[in-house]
Every structure is written in structure tokens, then in C-alpha cells.
């Protein structure tokens, strides 16, 4: 018999030492200790209620597991690589403490459905926490939008000045992205919050267990309906990593803009010193390390998603040892996303805006050219013809090293006789911004309403 292995009955030789270390997961799955113990207490309680094990054993199991929990949280529990994983470490310690009663805990379950339960319990808790972190960032974004309502900046396409917009409108674009991110997390929670325990190794169990009772004890909304799928399903983990990858892409895009905006070339924002570092050689430097790192960590989270997808793509039903590799990318994604959200929320709230610089930039680059075209359309000129007229006016400006606001009425009338004195009322930055009053537009009244709507939805 393989000594010290809870599964060692059919083996005659001990596990190779290197193989033991290679196959063990305790170094990373020990973070599941709380969920493993909670699941075991619920399982034991159900076994006692169903008369599968004596009530006295249940009492010993529950008290023993609670004592082990205290040991782990006090840092007094010695995890053993030879016991492979968190499940075996806790079960072996329990049997040492309470004897045969501890050996009855695993009745009617397998490590396959046990680990599926633990991961779901763990991710369920983390999804709630991540949603709360998203809320913190949303609050910081709304705060900046409220504090800087009315500040005009250039809107960009192809990273070139396109049309003037409100800075608050730009901020609220990220509010929309993060709302969707939170909705994806909440949707993932629905599919995570399903109890797999009771599926056994793959075919269910011969004992008269009550899965619905366990689900109630553990606050699961429902139980899984197929034992094979129960132990082999990691869709919920892949879905979380996919939602996290999208979230990180949003943070990366935001990071890129903050990095650009904080350069001396833009000078749109200044990040707090608390979120920047200096150079070891250049004393003038103030480097935006936090947004750069968040941008970099996006590749890490995207990689974790690909790792999980690749892990699962060729696995036959039901459980396979490959699936032990699901935890590290999942845990790393959870840690990375939480860290990025927390630091981003604090950084965005503390950043300072340069309204004058933004407005100066918004006035350059022919940003109100579309407003001139719209003006001509209202004068009865078809849009395509208006587009052509304004294009010629822009070319004239380029050739004469001037911008649209500098053209005189006489110069405007070189391009169309329908242009009158009222053209100048249409091409101010304020007029351009406030003319876009349709739902979703950048007009001050519209952005103010969207901020209020966002506040009401908090």
C-alpha cells in the first residue's frame, strides 16, 4: 500500500518524490480552504440528516473542521505536498483529530465534485467583490464628470482631432463600458451559483443524498442536472476570464489615454504623485507607472483566458487531471483584476484636469468643420455638396496657415453664396458641443442628464 495516501489501497509502490511534487496542487489551491471547509460542513450536515452517517459523527466532523479553520487562519496549519491538495490536507488532519468519524466525511462524494464546489464557492464570493470594485471606479468616473462639467476637449478619431466634445462626455463613455462589465460579472454569477456537489466522480452516488438541502445550506440558487457535466464543467471559469479580459481591455484603453494626456505634448491631465514614479537618471521625469502597468497586465489576463480555453478544448468527459491547471489562471485573473480596479479607482478620482489646455486643443485642427457642413445643409445644400464645400475651405485654410474661426465672411462666401453672418454663431466650440442634443450626444444638457441618470442607478 502507498503510505499516507488516502487513495493508496490499490498501490504497492510509493509515488515518486518528483512526481508527487509535480502533481501536487496544494501550493496554489490552499487558498480554497475556507470554501472547502464550508462545503464539507454542509455535506456532513446533509449526511447526518439523511441518516447516512451517525449524528454524533456529524457533530465531531463539524467541530473538527471549525478547529482546522481556526488553525489555518492563525497560520498554524502545516500543509503537506504529499497530501496533494487542499481537500486531502484537511480531510487527513480531520481524521487525525477525530478518528473514524473523519473518515466518514467523504461518503457520497468525490474530489471531482468537491473541487467543482470549492471553485464555484470561491468565484462566487470574488464576483461579488469584483462588482463592488467596479462600482468604486464608476463612482470615481462620475465624480470627475460632475466636477468638470462644461470643460471642452477635442474628440478624436484615428487619434486626430475630430470634433469638440465635453470632457465629462468622454468620462461617461467609460461609465458605459464599466456598466457592461459589471453586468457581465453579474450574469456570470448566475451560472456560477449552481451546486455541483452530489455528482460524485462522474455518475452520481448510490447514497440517498439530498442535494437540494445542501444547495440551501450553501446559498446556491439551484443544483446541476447532469453528473458528467457537473464535474467536467469549467464554463463558469472561462466565462469569468472572458468577462475579465474585456474589462481589462477597457482599462487598457483608458490607461493609454491617461498616458497620452499626461505627456508634455498633451498636458490634458496630471496624475497624482502617489500614482507615478521618477527616473533613475532623468530628474525631470514623472512616469505614469500605474496606467502603464494596467495596460501591461491586460496581456496577462488575456493570456489566462487563452490558457483556460486551450486547457479545456480537447478534454473528453468527465474529469481529467488536466483540469487541475484551471486554478492558477483563474486565481491570477481574480487577483489582477481586483488590484487594477482598486488602483484605477483611486488614481482617477485624484487626477487633475487642465481645462484651458483641453479647450485650446479643441479649437485647433478644424474641429468645427462638420458644423459648417451642417450649417450649409440647414441652408438647403445637400450634405455631400456641403461636405465638398467645407473640404475646399479647409484646404484654403491649410494653404494660408489659418484655422476655420479665422476666416472672414468674405472668405467664407468664396466657397458658397449661402453663407451669411450667422455662420460665426455656428462654429464656436460651445455651439458645436451644445448642438448635439440627441440621446447619447455631447451637449451639456444631455451629459448632465446622463450623469444624473448614472447617479440614480448607483
Amino acid at each position: 500500500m502507498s503510505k499516507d495516501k488516502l487513495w493508496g489501497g490499490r498501490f504497492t509502490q510509493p509515488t515518486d518524490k518528483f512526481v508527487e511534487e509535480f502533481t501536487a496542487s496544494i501550493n496554489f489551491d490552499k487558498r480554497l480552504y475556507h470554501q472547502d471547509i464550508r462545503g464539507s460542513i454542509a455535506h456532513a450536515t446533509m449526511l447526518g440528516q439523511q441518516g447516512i452517517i451517525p449524528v454524533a459523527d456529524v457533530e465531531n466532523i463539524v467541530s473538527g473542521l471549525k478547529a482546522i479553520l481556526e488553525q489555518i487562519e492563525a497560520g498554524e496549519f502545516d500543509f503537506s505536498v504529499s497530501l496533494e491538495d487542499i481537500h486531502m490536507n484537511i480531510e487527513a488532519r480531520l481524521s487525525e483529530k477525530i478518528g473514524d468519524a473523519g473518515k466518514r466525511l467523504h461518503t457520497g462524494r468525490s474530489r471531482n465534485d468537491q473541487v467543482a464546489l470549492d471553485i464555484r464557492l470561491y468565484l462566487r464570493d470574488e464576483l461579488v467583490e469584483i462588482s463592488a470594485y467596479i462600482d468604486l471606479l464608476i463612482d470615481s468616473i462620475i465624480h470627475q464628470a460632475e466636477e468638470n462639467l462644461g470643460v471642452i476637449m477635442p474628440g478624436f478619431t484615428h487619434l486626430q482631432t475630430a470634433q469638440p466634445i465635453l470632457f465629462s462626455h468622454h468620462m461617461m463613455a467609460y461609465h458605459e463600458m464599466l456598466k457592461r462589465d459589471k453586468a457581465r460579472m453579474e450574469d456570470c454569477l448566475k451560472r456560477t451559483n449552481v451546486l455541483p456537489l452530489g455528482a460524485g466522480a462522474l455518475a452520481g452516488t448510490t447514497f440517498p443524498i439530498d442535494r437540494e438541502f445542501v444547495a440551501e445550506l450553501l446559498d446556491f440558487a439551484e443544483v446541476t442536472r447532469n453528473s458528467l457535466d457537473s464535474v467536467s464543467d469549467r464554463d463558469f471559469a472561462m466565462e469569468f476570464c472572458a468577462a475579465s479580459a474585456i474589462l481589462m481591455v477597457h482599462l487598457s484603453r483608458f490607461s493609454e489615454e491617461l498616458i497620452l494626456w499626461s505627456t508634455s505634448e498633451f498636458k490634458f491631465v496630471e496624475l497624482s504623485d502617489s500614482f507615478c514614479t521618477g527616473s533613475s537618471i532623468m530628474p525631470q521625469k514623472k512616469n505614469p507607472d500605474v496606467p502603464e502597468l494596467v495596460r501591461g497586465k491586460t496581456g496577462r489576463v488575456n493570456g489566462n483566458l487563452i490558457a483556460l480555453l486551450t486547457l479545456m478544448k480537447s478534454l473528453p468527459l468527465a474529469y481529467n487531471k488536466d483540469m487541475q491547471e484551471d486554478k492558477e489562471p483563474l486565481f491570477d485573473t481574480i487577483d489582477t483584476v481586483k488590484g487594477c480596479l482598486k488602483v484605477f479607482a483611486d488614481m482617477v478620482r485624484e487626477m487633475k484636469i487642465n481645462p484651458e489646455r483641453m479647450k485650446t486643443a479643441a479649437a485647433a485642427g478644424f474641429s468645427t468643420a462638420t458644423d459648417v457642413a451642417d450649417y450649409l445643409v440647414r441652408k438647403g445644400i445637400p450634405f455631400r455638396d456641403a461636405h465638398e464645400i467645407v473640404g475646399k475651405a479647409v484646404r484654403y485654410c491649410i494653404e494660408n496657415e489659418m484655422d476655420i474661426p479665422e476666416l472672414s465672411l468674405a472668405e467664407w462666401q468664396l466657397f458658397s453664396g449661402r453663407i451669411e453672418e450667422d455662420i460665426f454663431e455656428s462654429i464656436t466650440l460651445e455651439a458645436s458641443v451644445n448642438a448635439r442634443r440627441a440621446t447619447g450626444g455631447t451637449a451639456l444638457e444631455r451629459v448632465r442628464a446622463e450623469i444624473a441618470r448614472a447617479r440614480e442607478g448607483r
Side-chain angles (χ1 to χ4, degrees), residues 16 39 64 76 79 82 114 124 184 196 211 215 244 261 269 287 300 397 407 418 421 440 443 445:
D16 178 87
E76 299 170 355
F79 294 102
S82 67
Q114 184 179 1
R124 188 177 71 178
R184 274 185 282 270
R211 297 186 66 206
S244 296
W261 292 354
V269 303
N287 299 324
R300 177 177 183 151
C397 289
L407 289 173
R418 298 195 191 184
E421 190 71 34
E445 63 183 76

Side-chain angles (χ1 to χ4, degrees), residues 102-155:
K103 297 177 182 178
R104 294 191 173 96
L105 170 61
H106 208 56
T107 306
R109 76 174 180 185
S110 161
R111 274 192 295 178
N112 296 355
D113 59 345
Q114 184 179 1
V115 69
L117 169 65
D118 290 0
I119 297 173
R120 285 177 183 268
L121 283 171
Y122 184 82
L123 182 56
R124 188 177 71 178
D125 293 341
E126 295 296 336
L127 280 164
V128 172
E129 193 168 348
I130 286 170
S131 291
Y133 278 121
I134 293 174
D135 278 338
L136 289 177
L137 179 51
I138 287 175
D139 281 339
S140 293
I141 288 169
I142 295 174
H143 169 76
Q144 285 289 356
E146 287 174 327
E147 290 293 306
N148 297 283
L149 189 60
V151 173
I152 296 175
M153 67 174 290

Side-chain angles (χ1 to χ4, degrees), residues 29-324:
D29 70 15
K30 61 187 176 185
R31 71 161 69 187
L32 296 174
Y33 72 89
H34 194 279
Q35 290 73 25
D36 194 74
I37 288 172
R38 186 182 177 195
S40 289
I41 288 174
H43 180 66
T45 301
M46 179 275 296
L47 292 176
Q49 177 189 270
Q50 297 297 103
I52 297 171
I53 65 174
V55 172
D57 284 352
V58 174
E59 292 172 353
N60 287 331
I61 288 170
V62 171
S63 62
L65 287 171
K66 287 180 177 179
I68 290 171
L69 177 62
E70 290 177 4
Q71 268 191 302
I72 294 174
E73 293 187 334
E76 299 170 355
F77 189 95
D78 292 326
F79 294 102
S80 169
V81 170
S82 67
L83 289 170
E84 302 174 32
D85 54 38
I86 188 63
H87 325 296
M88 291 300 198
N89 268 265
I90 289 174
E91 186 181 337
R93 182 72 188 99
L94 180 67
S95 295
E96 287 176 13
K97 286 176 70 69
I98 66 172
D100 285 350
K103 297 177 182 178
R104 294 191 173 96
L105 170 61
H106 208 56
T107 306
R109 76 174 180 185
S110 161
R111 274 192 295 178
N112 296 355
D113 59 345
Q114 184 179 1
V115 69
L117 169 65
D118 290 0
I119 297 173
R120 285 177 183 268
L121 283 171
Y122 184 82
L123 182 56
R124 188 177 71 178
D125 293 341
E126 295 296 336
L127 280 164
V128 172
E129 193 168 348
I130 286 170
S131 291
Y133 278 121
I134 293 174
D135 278 338
L136 289 177
L137 179 51
I138 287 175
D139 281 339
S140 293
I141 288 169
I142 295 174
H143 169 76
Q144 285 289 356
E146 287 174 327
E147 290 293 306
N148 297 283
L149 189 60
V151 173
I152 296 175
M153 67 174 290
F156 298 94
T157 61
H158 309 280
L159 203 53
Q160 299 180 59
T161 298
Q163 294 176 333
I165 61 171
L166 292 182
F167 170 76
S168 299
H169 190 54
H170 198 114
M171 286 295 98
M172 294 304 287
Y174 286 104
H175 165 260
E176 292 298 311
M177 296 180 212
L178 288 162
K179 269 202 319 181
R180 296 193 297 270
D181 290 322
K182 184 180 177 185
R184 274 185 282 270
M185 295 298 175
E186 291 172 341
D187 208 42
C188 179
L189 180 58
K190 295 174 187 175
R191 282 174 286 281
T192 302
N193 195 30
V194 183
L195 176 79
L197 195 66
L202 76 160
T205 177
T206 60
F207 293 97
I209 62 173
D210 185 343
R211 297 186 66 206
E212 287 72 17
F213 176 65
V214 176
E216 184 179 341
L217 290 177
L218 296 174
D219 300 316
F220 280 100
E222 56 184 314
V223 301
T224 55
R225 311 306 301 186
N226 182 284
S227 59
L228 286 166
D229 181 57
S230 300
V231 298
S232 61
D233 169 35
R234 293 297 183 271
D235 289 6
F236 61 94
M238 292 185 286
E239 184 177 352
F240 166 73
C241 286
S244 296
I246 296 171
L247 167 60
M248 289 299 295
V249 166
H250 292 156
L251 295 186
S252 183
R253 295 178 74 180
F254 202 169
S255 294
E256 176 68 12
E257 293 195 318
L258 294 179
I259 292 163
L260 286 171
W261 292 354
S262 62
T263 62
S264 57
E265 289 76 15
F266 277 80
K267 292 184 180 176
F268 285 2
V269 303
E270 182 177 3
L271 301 178
S272 168
D273 289 355
S274 303
F275 301 93
C276 299
T277 64
S279 165
S280 64
I281 188 172
M282 296 172 283
Q284 82 281 11
K285 292 297 293 295
K286 180 178 177 180
N287 299 324
D289 280 12
V290 167
E292 287 178 348
L293 270 175
V294 171
R295 185 177 59 182
K297 287 178 182 292
T298 301
R300 177 177 183 151
V301 172
N302 290 352
N304 288 338
L305 170 61
I306 297 303
L308 268 180
L309 292 171
T310 306
L311 168 69
M312 298 300 298
K313 74 175 183 65
S314 298
L315 296 187
L317 297 179
Y319 182 85
N320 296 270
K321 187 68 169 177
D322 314 46
M323 292 167 69
Q324 180 172 292

